[in-house]
Amino acid sequence: MDSSKIREQRILDPVTDDVPSFIRAVLSDSNRKYFTASLIEDQKEQLFGVLGLENYSAKNRSADAVMYFPDTALSGDLPDVSQEHRTSAFDSLLRYAFFDQQIHRVSMLIPVTDEESEKILLSCHMQQEAVLDEALYVDGAYCDGALFSLLDSEYPDYSVGFVPFRKGVVAIRGDNEVIEMTRFFSYGKPVEGNLERNVAIRTGIADSSGVLKEEGSPEYKDLFDMQFPKEVMRCMTELNEYFMKRRTSFTIHAKPLHGSDFQKKVWDQVSTIPYGVTKSYEDIALDLTGGDKVSARNLTRAVGAACGDNPLPILVPCHRIIGKDGRLVGFSGGLEIKEFLLNHEMFGIHLA
């Protein structure tokens, strides 16, 4: 953080007279994370705010948010910053807290008279929990504070949806534009992943300890009446149609969270395998090497490893990869689910 720019624009005036010392203290404290918010104008970076997380609790996976924007009447030459810019900056802080730092709950206490901050928090879907008497000391006097909070599972623009089927559920992680990951979970088993588990509990398909309820539980029917990010909802609909044998291909915008260039080439090639068709690792290696058998033989193991790391099963149909001798080979959802999917596509039967 550039202390001179922050000091010039008087962004941290509410909390310190010594900006360099404040910044050094923040950087040396593992329980505090601060960031600057900037705009690019005329190819120059224009600072317009400082935001951060404080009082991080590893046990509770919680933190308090702070945001400081300059008073335009005091700060002189400032970029043209709208409420939308400030809201976007705070939303970025929430995404960082929930999905990079795996924080479960973010809270913020503001003066009850701070209407501008309240608009930002409400625009970011934070909910007011309480008004605390004389909780803040501002301008030489105590004032009441409005306590706002948001849970990771309540964040509306990036979440996890679930689609039940005979052998379990498919978890779909993404936002309004793209799907980043799909995973399988079995009925009666714990849901893995902080966000996946928290959303499963909030939607009622898992108990308070994060164990999925049994097949046929009424909570699964309610999933399609709930609100999820747009692309997650679209993926839920298409996967449900797939399991009902009303769809054989997908139109989902998917982008894996990770993957080397080679892995992505493998996943792209696997994605060309049609519904109801199977190929072997050797077949995929041959496709990638233009039919060079020697090169393909050397590549087969790497192809298998890439399929094992596929973050988008079903959408990238690695379940259609079988052994050269026709045997079922590894699958992230387990061989029982793989067998079910292959039979579902090839023969239209559901194995018990």
Side-chain angles (χ1 to χ4, degrees), residues 154-184:
E154 296 171 338
Y155 184 80
D157 296 327
Y158 183 94
S159 191
V160 179
F162 298 92
V163 177
F165 67 106
R166 281 287 304 277
K167 294 297 181 180
V169 301
V170 183
I172 306 158
R173 180 192 277 243
D175 58 21
N176 291 314
E177 304 296 331
V178 68
I179 301 304
E180 295 180 344
M181 184 167 61
T182 54
R183 301 176 70 179
F184 291 98

Side-chain angles (χ1 to χ4, degrees), residues 180-207:
E180 295 180 344
M181 184 167 61
T182 54
R183 301 176 70 179
F184 291 98
F185 298 110
S186 299
Y187 296 119
K189 301 294 185 181
V191 176
E192 298 177 356
N194 290 329
L195 182 61
E196 285 79 0
R197 181 174 58 255
N198 293 336
V199 176
I201 293 171
R202 180 177 62 82
T203 56
I205 66 170
D207 63 23

Side-chain angles (χ1 to χ4, degrees), residues 7 18 21 27 31 33 41 80 88 95 110 124 131 139 156 167 179 203 231 255 264 278 290 296 330 346:
R7 187 169 57 247
D18 186 351
S21 295
L27 294 177
N31 291 324
K33 302 284 186 181
E41 290 188 346
D80 183 16
S88 177
R95 289 180 72 104
I110 64 172
C124 290
V131 173
D139 296 332
K167 294 297 181 180
I179 301 304
T203 56
E231 195 65 6
K255 181 180 179 181
K264 291 176 182 178
T278 59
M346 291 181 182

Side-chain angles (χ1 to χ4, degrees), residues 300-322:
T300 298
R301 183 169 300 215
V303 168
C307 289
D309 287 337
N310 173 20
L312 292 162
I314 294 192
L315 300 183
V316 175
C318 55
H319 61 280
R320 296 173 190 158
I321 303 291
I322 61 174

Side-chain angles (χ1 to χ4, degrees), residues 174-326:
D175 58 21
N176 291 314
E177 304 296 331
V178 68
I179 301 304
E180 295 180 344
M181 184 167 61
T182 54
R183 301 176 70 179
F184 291 98
F185 298 110
S186 299
Y187 296 119
K189 301 294 185 181
V191 176
E192 298 177 356
N194 290 329
L195 182 61
E196 285 79 0
R197 181 174 58 255
N198 293 336
V199 176
I201 293 171
R202 180 177 62 82
T203 56
I205 66 170
D207 63 23
S208 59
S209 61
V211 174
L212 275 181
K213 295 182 178 178
E214 294 299 329
E215 180 184 5
S217 295
E219 290 82 0
Y220 290 112
K221 294 181 180 179
D222 297 335
L223 286 168
F224 293 92
D225 295 325
M226 297 179 183
Q227 292 298 312
F228 295 95
K230 292 178 182 178
E231 195 65 6
V232 173
M233 286 290 294
R234 202 162 74 87
C235 190
M236 289 172 62
T237 298
E238 291 198 8
L239 280 176
N240 190 51
E241 292 170 349
Y242 166 84
F243 286 119
M244 297 177 72
K245 298 193 69 65
R246 296 176 183 172
R247 175 175 291 277
T248 59
S249 62
F250 303 105
T251 64
I252 300 303
H253 300 130
K255 181 180 179 181
L257 276 172
H258 61 78
S260 67
D261 290 342
F262 173 76
Q263 286 177 318
K264 291 176 182 178
K265 288 180 182 178
V266 172
W267 300 335
D268 287 343
Q269 192 62 45
V270 170
S271 296
T272 67
I273 305 175
Y275 181 96
V277 175
T278 59
K279 285 192 172 185
S280 68
Y281 294 138
E282 291 87 343
D283 293 331
I284 299 299
L286 280 168
D287 292 337
L288 291 173
T289 60
D292 185 330
K293 292 184 178 180
V294 174
S295 297
R297 192 176 300 114
N298 294 330
L299 204 61
T300 298
R301 183 169 300 215
V303 168
C307 289
D309 287 337
N310 173 20
L312 292 162
I314 294 192
L315 300 183
V316 175
C318 55
H319 61 280
R320 296 173 190 158
I321 303 291
I322 61 174
K324 192 174 182 179
D325 58 0

Side-chain angles (χ1 to χ4, degrees), residues 3-25 32 68 74 139:
S3 61
S4 61
K5 289 184 178 180
I6 294 173
R7 187 169 57 247
E8 287 171 9
Q9 297 190 4
R10 306 181 67 174
I11 296 175
L12 292 177
D13 276 11
V15 290
T16 184
D17 295 324
D18 186 351
V19 172
S21 295
F22 181 87
I23 292 175
R24 285 194 295 271
R32 304 168 82 185
Y68 304 107
L74 299 175
D139 296 332

Side-chain angles (χ1 to χ4, degrees), residues 95-131:
R95 289 180 72 104
Y96 169 79
F98 291 143
F99 310 121
D100 288 346
Q101 296 299 300
Q102 305 297 309
I103 290 174
H104 175 56
R105 173 191 171 95
V106 174
S107 303
M108 187 167 181
L109 188 64
I110 64 172
V112 292
T113 56
D114 187 351
E115 295 181 359
E116 292 302 312
S117 292
E118 181 180 3
K119 289 178 183 178
I120 292 172
L121 300 184
L122 292 175
S123 295
C124 290
H125 309 284
M126 294 193 78
Q127 302 172 22
Q128 184 174 340
E129 289 190 356
V131 173

